[in-house]
């Protein structure tokens, strides 16, 4: 190394100064100190300090070095013993070598042995951005490895490692004794010191720089300074990249399964795939094993998740459990693959061994499990979809053999690039095959064409003209197995032709109002369709219709393709919008009138039975991000009775908010098979932040349906379905939630009653 450079660098200019923040710190509360761990060896007894030492940098005086054998040096005072070749530098000492910087109050350097002793406010910073602090450090002249007393390492991502004694090696690895680790802030918003939300304390900590991983011996988690969770054999990464290890356990208590503890183990197989294995242990049920596999490929991603156990089954009827135990489980998978810019494949699959498994173990409250796939090609003017789906019912009274299996569903659309008669022309081909293991089978194919022309008149009216034609071919058998006659159609081959023309006119008027802008838009639509053979055609996808604002102006107001509204009608309505900065109101109301007296296909109570329809509307009010209220309604055309009344509101900020909902369906539909029975329900949920990082949350669903609304229901007009209530703590480092939930209905072996869950999540721990 260059001694000339060393002599040249010695000068009396301060490099480190004590901070003058005593007045500010005096206003900060004094942190509580925990007692030393008596289990530590005597030579390392003490408490690791996670706070950054009270020093500030000054201008760098040490010269830059060009050779790896050179050391840049600066100090207030310098003494050199030429006989022993010992250099003693005091006062704001700085040493640089190979982009490693060291600063301290005093440095003793033995040029023969290469040993460097630094004392007082020692700071070492490496090129990777990590900074180490200590009271006394013994180093080699590489400035990379050595032993430190009262060591603190602040990593480049903000995480901290502290120890009473630490050893730093030349490769960047660190070994700490009586140590602590935290990724959490150690200062509050006012800059005062605070205890981290959580930290890991351990007898020994090993930091592997190459793997960016920390391993512990004798570790425990302290939350808010309280030692709560022992973690034997713990290891984790110090950034947001996943690493293998045990994750935080989940604790629950409910009536069906008793006390539950789930301990996930995360295994990182490669940078693009991982697996999580979670044993679930119960006091009132057999153990269950959960597994999830995730993978990212060159063309997409997919995941597989499953649950498995071996135990007794309580049927939906609520009878005693079967004496013989059986395998029970649930499997799901989903993924998407993009083969090229045009072709993609999406799939999802769900299947359970029985109808009560998912509710018993609180996996999902779905009453149907649907499995789908779809192969798509999206071009500039074309679209092709080849899809299929199947459904597993979990409902009590549904027969699985009646559930449809759709395979395949093919839909192709081609839009012509050049306009025809000034309008856009589109062709469509569609085919569908539905099969049932114990029900009606139906196959359908159709070809159609649609022409749309949109233009503006000299008065500002927006006019859209539409014409469409379609030809359908159907085949069905086992029709008598369909319970509702209106859905069966005739067995064998059936065909029909469909044609429709429509003219739609919107005329917006814009002006100022109450400091904002309002738009009033009357709208009129005329649709004409020749008589169509509907009853002879099986109805698979046009069931459960209800008139609302979203389909009022549709050319075919039936959902799906199997039913098409014929005759001539006129639909009229008005849209109104008012807006000003941060505030908006939008509303639409409308009605339709059939020009022919042909009996309607729509069931009684849907709002379209008579020539004059019911009145439907929607109003939405939004105020900044604080309020959003939506009201949908349908009024009886004869007596203005409310047949549909729905409110949905979201009020509040991200920290404190309420979500409210109310639904009232009073449609007087006598044909219960339409699946449109009368219902009344209220929903409420919300969260209230009552202190910094703390909040309470809850939700409830109450069935208000009476027997006068649904003769098949046993409801008494106020029947709670379920509710939950909890308290949570959330900051940028820790999340804790304790939840109480109560269910009011038994579903097989998913019993009504109370359940409690405790969840905790640490940033940079496990994951």
């Amino acid at each position: 190394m260059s001694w000339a450079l060393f002599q040249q660098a010695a000068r009396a200019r301060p490099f480190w100064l004590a901070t003058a923040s005593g007045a500010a710190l005096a206003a900060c509360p004094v942190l509580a100190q925990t007692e030393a761990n008596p289990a530590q060896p005597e030579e390392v007894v003490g408490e690791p300090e996670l706070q950054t030492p009270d020093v500030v940098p000054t201008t760098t005086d040490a010269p830059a070095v060009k050779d790896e054998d050179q050391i840049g040096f600066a100090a207030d005072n310098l003494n050199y013993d030429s006989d022993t070749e010992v250099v003693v530098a005091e006062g704001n000492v700085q040493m640089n070598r190979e982009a490693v910087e060291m600063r301290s109050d005093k440095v003793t350097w033995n040029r023969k042995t290469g040993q460097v002793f630094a004392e007082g406010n020692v700071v070492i910073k490496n090129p990777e951005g990590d900074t180490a602090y200590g009271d006394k450090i013994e180093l080699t002249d590489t400035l990379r490895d050595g032993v430190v007393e009262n060591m603190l390492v602040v990593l480049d991502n903000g995480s901290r490692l502290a120890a009473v004694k630490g050893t730093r090696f030349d490769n960047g690895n660190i070994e700490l004794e009586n140590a602590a680790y935290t990724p959490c802030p150690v200062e509050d918003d006012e800059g005062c010191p605070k205890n981290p939300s959580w930290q890991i304390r351990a007898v020994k900590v090993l930091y592997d720089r190459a793997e960016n991983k920390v391993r512990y011996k004798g570790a425990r988690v302290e939350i808010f300074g309280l030692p709560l969770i022992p973690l034997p054999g713990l290891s984790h990464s110090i950034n947001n990249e996943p690493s293998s290890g045990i994750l935080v356990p989940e604790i629950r208590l409910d009536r069906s399964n008793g006390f539950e503890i789930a301990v996930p183990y995360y295994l990182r197989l490669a940078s693009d795939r991982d697996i999580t294995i979670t044993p679930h242990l119960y006091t009132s049920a057999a153990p269950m094993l959960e597994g999830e596999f995730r993978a990212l490929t060159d063309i997409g991603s997919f995941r597989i998740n499953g649950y498995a156990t071996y135990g007794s089954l309580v049927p939906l009827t609520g009878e005693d459990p079967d004496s013989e135990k059986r395998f029970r489980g649930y499997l799901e998978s989903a993924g998407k693959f993009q083969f090229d810019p045009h072709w993609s494949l999406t799939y999802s699959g769900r299947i359970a061994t029985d109808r009560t498994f998912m509710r018993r173990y609180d996996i999902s409250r779905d009453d149907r499990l649907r499995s789908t796939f779809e192969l798509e090609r999206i071009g500039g003017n074309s679209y092709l979809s080849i899809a299929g789906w199947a459904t597993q019912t979990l409902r009590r009274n549904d027969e699985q053999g009646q559930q449809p299996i759709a395979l395949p569903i093919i839909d192709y659309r081609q839009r012509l690039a050049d306009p025809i008669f000034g309008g856009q022309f589109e062709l469509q081909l569609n085919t569908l095959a539905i099969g049932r293991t114990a029900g009606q089978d139906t196959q359908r194919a159709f070809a159609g064409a649609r022409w749309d022309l949109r233009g503006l008149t000299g008065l500002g009216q927006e006019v859209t003209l539409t014409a469409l034609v379609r030809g359908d071919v159907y085949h069905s058998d086992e029709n008598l197995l369909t319970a509702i006659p209106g859905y069966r159609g005739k067995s064998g081959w059936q065909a029909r032709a469909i044609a429709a023309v429509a003219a739609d006119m919107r005329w917006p008027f814009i002006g100022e109002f109450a400091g904002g802008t309002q738009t009033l838009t009357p709208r009129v639509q005329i649709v004409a369709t020749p008589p169509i053979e509907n009853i002879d055609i099986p109805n698979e996808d046009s069931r459960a219709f209800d008139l609302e604002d979203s389909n009022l102006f549709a050319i075919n107001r039936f959902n799906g393709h199997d039913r098409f509204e014929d005759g001539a009608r006129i639909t009229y309505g008005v849209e109104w919008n008012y807006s000003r900065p941060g505030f908006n109101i939008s509303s639409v109301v409308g009605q339709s009138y059939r020009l022919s007296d042909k009996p309607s296909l729509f069931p009684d109570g849907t709002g379209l039975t008579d020539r004059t329809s019911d009145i439907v509307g929607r109003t939405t009010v939004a105020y900044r991000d604080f309020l959003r209220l939506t009201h949908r309604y349908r009024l009886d055309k004869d007596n203005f009775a409310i047949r549909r009344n729905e409110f949905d509101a979201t009020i509040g900020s991200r920290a404190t908010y309420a979500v409210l909902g109310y639904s009232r369906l009073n449609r007087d539909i006598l044909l219960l098979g339409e699946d449109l029975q009368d219902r009344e329900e209220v929903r409420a949920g919300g969260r209230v932040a009552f202190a910094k990082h703390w909040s309470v949350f809850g939700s409830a669903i109450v069935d208000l349906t009476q027997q006068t609304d649904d003769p098949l229901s046993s409801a008494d007009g106020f029947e709670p379905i379920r509710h939950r209530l909890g308290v949570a703590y959330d900051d940028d480092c820790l999340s804790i939630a304790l939840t109480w939930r109560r269910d009011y209905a038994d579903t097989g072996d998913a019993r009504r009653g109370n359940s409690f869950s405790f969840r905790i999540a640490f940033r940079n721990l496990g994951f």
Side-chain angles (χ1 to χ4, degrees):
M1 63 187 66
S2 172
W3 174 244
L5 180 62
F6 174 86
Q7 290 179 312
Q8 175 187 356
R11 56 177 60 87
R13 182 174 178 179
F15 184 78
W16 281 87
L17 297 177
T19 180
S21 59
L25 290 176
C28 296
V30 178
L31 295 181
Q33 299 294 326
T34 58
E35 296 182 0
N37 186 354
Q40 306 301 324
E42 292 184 1
E43 64 272 20
V44 293
V45 168
E47 286 299 306
E49 178 57 59
L50 290 167
Q51 298 293 328
T52 304
D54 190 21
V55 292
V56 294
T58 62
T59 305
T60 301
D61 280 342
V65 294
K66 299 180 180 180
D67 189 274
E68 64 180 12
D69 291 332
Q70 292 181 332
I71 293 180
F73 202 95
D76 293 344
N77 300 295
L78 180 66
N79 295 306
Y80 175 62
D81 188 332
S82 58
D83 295 333
T84 60
E85 294 192 44
V86 173
V87 180
V88 178
E90 294 181 288
N92 305 308
V93 184
Q94 179 192 9
M95 297 179 67
N96 297 335
R97 183 175 185 180
E98 295 179 334
V100 179
E101 301 177 5
M102 186 190 74
R103 298 144 185 167
S104 68
D105 296 337
K106 179 181 178 179
V107 171
T108 302
W109 175 25
N110 189 320
R111 298 184 65 233
K112 290 182 178 179
T113 63
Q115 289 180 314
V116 178
F117 296 91
E119 300 176 77
N121 296 319
V122 183
V123 182
I124 301 176
K125 187 174 182 178
N126 63 22
E128 292 81 7
D130 301 340
T131 303
Y133 302 87
D135 291 342
K136 184 177 180 181
I137 300 180
E138 179 183 348
L139 303 168
T140 64
D141 53 14
T142 63
L143 305 185
R144 291 182 177 270
D145 56 337
V147 179
V148 187
E149 293 182 5
N150 293 326
M151 181 180 186
L152 169 67
V153 179
V154 181
L155 304 173
D156 58 352
N157 65 353
S159 301
R160 293 168 179 259
L161 284 165
V164 174
K165 181 179 179 181
T167 303
R168 193 176 188 279
F169 302 98
D170 186 64
N171 59 3
N173 290 354
I174 300 171
E175 180 178 295
L176 308 178
E177 298 179 48
N178 192 8
Y181 163 80
T182 184
C184 305
V186 295
E187 291 184 353
D188 59 19
D189 296 338
E190 287 74 33
C192 293
K194 71 166 189 174
N195 289 320
S197 301
W198 66 269
Q199 60 178 306
I200 299 177
R201 302 291 299 275
V203 175
K204 183 171 290 187
V205 177
L206 305 174
Y207 168 54
D208 190 320
R209 177 72 195 181
E211 296 184 5
N212 214 15
K213 194 169 186 177
V214 179
R215 295 179 174 86
Y216 299 84
K217 293 183 179 179
R220 68 183 187 275
V221 173
E222 292 188 359
I223 302 175
F224 305 125
L226 300 176
L228 296 180
I229 306 174
L231 297 173
L234 174 69
S235 66
H236 64 84
S237 63
I238 61 170
N239 52 27
N240 292 325
E241 295 183 0
S243 62
S244 299
I246 297 176
L247 307 184
V248 178
E250 180 178 338
I251 299 173
R252 287 175 48 86
L253 176 66
D254 62 41
R255 184 174 179 183
S256 298
N257 302 312
F259 180 80
E260 171 192 356
I261 182 169
V263 184
Y265 181 81
Y266 176 81
L267 179 61
R268 184 168 171 83
L269 303 177
S271 60
D272 56 358
R273 60 198 61 210
D274 56 37
I275 188 171
T276 303
I277 305 296
T278 307
H280 296 257
L281 303 177
Y282 308 93
T283 58
S284 301
M288 182 174 69
L289 186 65
E290 176 189 358
E292 181 179 24
F293 175 77
R294 302 183 302 178
L296 180 67
T297 69
D298 294 336
I299 59 174
S301 63
F302 69 94
R303 66 176 182 86
I304 304 173
N305 190 29
Y307 299 77
T309 186
Y310 190 80
S312 300
L313 168 67
V314 176
L316 285 167
T317 56
E319 299 172 356
D320 292 334
D322 296 346
S323 58
E324 183 180 353
K325 293 186 176 182
R326 64 183 66 183
F327 171 79
R328 303 183 69 190
Y330 167 70
L331 180 66
E332 68 175 2
S333 180
K336 183 172 183 179
F337 304 93
Q338 190 74 40
F339 302 111
D340 60 35
H342 300 293
W343 286 95
S344 66
L345 173 66
T346 304
Y347 82 91
S348 65
R350 306 176 70 192
I351 187 172
T353 56
D354 55 77
R355 301 192 183 196
T356 62
F357 177 81
M358 299 184 68
R359 291 198 178 190
R360 165 71 182 272
Y361 294 98
D362 200 26
I363 299 170
S364 170
R365 307 196 70 85
D366 294 340
D367 59 2
R368 293 185 180 93
L369 302 181
R370 194 173 187 183
S371 300
T372 68
F373 81 90
E374 184 173 25
L375 179 66
E376 289 182 292
R377 187 191 187 279
I378 302 176
N381 289 302
S382 64
Y383 173 77
L384 172 64
S385 170
I386 303 174
W389 50 262
T391 301
Q392 178 185 5
T393 182
L394 304 181
R395 292 184 172 186
R396 174 178 299 183
N397 297 320
D398 284 357
E399 296 183 21
Q400 183 60 45
Q402 292 283 341
Q403 304 307 307
I405 301 173
L407 185 69
I409 309 168
I410 302 176
D411 188 63
Y412 175 74
R413 307 186 187 207
Q414 177 69 50
R415 186 171 56 194
L416 301 187
D418 298 327
I420 297 179
F421 300 114
Q424 187 69 59
F425 194 79
E426 182 180 281
L427 301 173
Q428 181 180 8
L429 299 174
N430 183 282
T431 183
L432 165 68
I434 289 182
R436 295 176 174 86
T437 58
Q440 179 174 326
D441 299 332
T442 303
Q443 298 85 42
R444 177 192 73 202
F446 70 77
R450 176 168 175 157
W451 175 83
D452 291 282
L453 173 64
R454 177 183 176 274
L456 298 175
T457 68
L459 297 176
Q461 298 158 328
E462 179 186 346
V463 179
T464 302
L465 303 177
T466 302
L468 63 87
V469 294
R470 204 178 88 190
D472 300 352
V473 177
Y474 281 80
H475 179 269
S476 61
D477 52 27
E478 305 289 347
N479 300 58
L480 294 179
L481 296 177
T482 297
I484 301 176
Y487 294 162
R488 295 173 184 170
K490 291 185 177 180
S491 62
W493 291 95
Q494 305 294 329
R496 68 177 176 184
I498 297 173
V501 293
D504 194 319
M505 189 273 290
R506 302 173 73 252
W507 196 354
F509 296 90
I510 303 175
E512 296 182 357
F513 174 71
T517 302
Q518 68 170 337
T519 304
L520 185 67
T521 308
R523 183 176 182 181
V524 178
Q525 180 195 64
I526 299 176
V527 180
T529 303
I532 298 173
E533 293 293 336
N534 276 300
I535 300 300
D536 295 343
I537 301 299
N539 183 2
E540 296 281 5
D541 63 4
S542 299
R543 306 179 181 183
F545 170 83
D546 197 14
L547 182 65
E548 55 187 20
D549 64 282
S550 63
N551 59 20
L552 178 65
F553 287 93
I555 295 178
N556 179 29
R557 291 185 288 198
F558 279 104
N559 48 298
H561 300 290
D562 291 339
R563 290 289 181 265
F564 201 98
E565 186 178 1
D566 56 3
R569 68 180 184 271
I570 180 171
T571 305
Y572 42 88
V574 61
E575 301 171 5
W576 180 70
N577 182 274
Y578 169 74
S579 63
R580 59 181 301 172
F583 183 74
N584 179 265
I585 302 176
S586 63
S587 183
V588 58
V589 61
Q591 188 180 36
S592 69
Y593 177 78
R594 289 194 295 115
L595 302 177
S596 62
D597 57 1
K598 180 181 177 181
S600 172
L601 284 172
F602 297 98
D604 290 338
T606 58
L608 280 174
T609 306
D610 299 328
R611 296 182 66 175
T612 303
S613 78
D614 288 347
I615 301 169
V616 296
R618 172 189 48 80
T619 299
T620 301
V621 179
Y623 175 68
R624 301 186 185 276
D625 293 331
F626 181 79
L627 170 68
R628 184 172 184 85
L629 171 66
T630 301
H631 177 216
R632 292 182 175 88
Y633 58 90
R634 177 160 65 88
L635 304 179
D636 191 287
K637 66 184 185 307
D638 297 322
N639 55 16
F640 297 105
I642 300 177
R643 299 303 180 192
R644 177 176 182 175
N645 195 17
E646 294 186 12
F647 288 92
D648 289 288
T650 302
I651 307 170
S653 62
R654 291 186 177 181
T656 299
Y657 60 87
V659 179
L660 307 174
Y662 171 79
S663 300
R664 168 67 171 164
L665 304 177
N666 181 23
R667 294 171 290 198
D668 288 339
I669 296 180
L670 300 178
L671 185 59
L672 297 179
E674 284 288 341
D675 199 23
L676 290 172
Q677 298 92 334
D678 292 342
R679 288 286 186 270
E680 188 173 9
E681 182 181 271
V682 64
R683 305 171 300 277
R687 181 181 294 269
V688 177
F690 63 88
K692 188 175 182 180
H693 304 307
W694 288 93
S695 63
V696 292
F697 58 90
S699 64
I701 301 176
V702 180
D703 185 2
L704 303 179
T705 307
Q706 302 184 37
Q707 290 188 354
T708 55
D709 298 321
D710 183 5
L712 298 182
S713 175
S714 60
D716 59 2
F718 189 89
E719 186 74 26
I721 298 176
R722 63 180 174 272
H723 68 247
R724 68 183 183 122
L725 183 66
V727 60
Y729 174 90
D730 286 285
D731 61 21
D732 55 359
C733 195
L734 177 67
S735 178
I736 303 175
L738 176 64
T739 305
W740 163 53
R741 194 186 75 191
R742 181 172 178 83
D743 291 282
Y744 291 87
D746 292 331
T747 305
D749 52 2
R751 302 176 184 176
R752 72 179 71 188
N754 299 317
S755 62
F756 300 88
S757 66
F758 177 76
R759 291 182 174 87
I760 184 168
F762 303 97
R763 182 170 65 87
N764 285 349
L765 179 59
F767 283 99

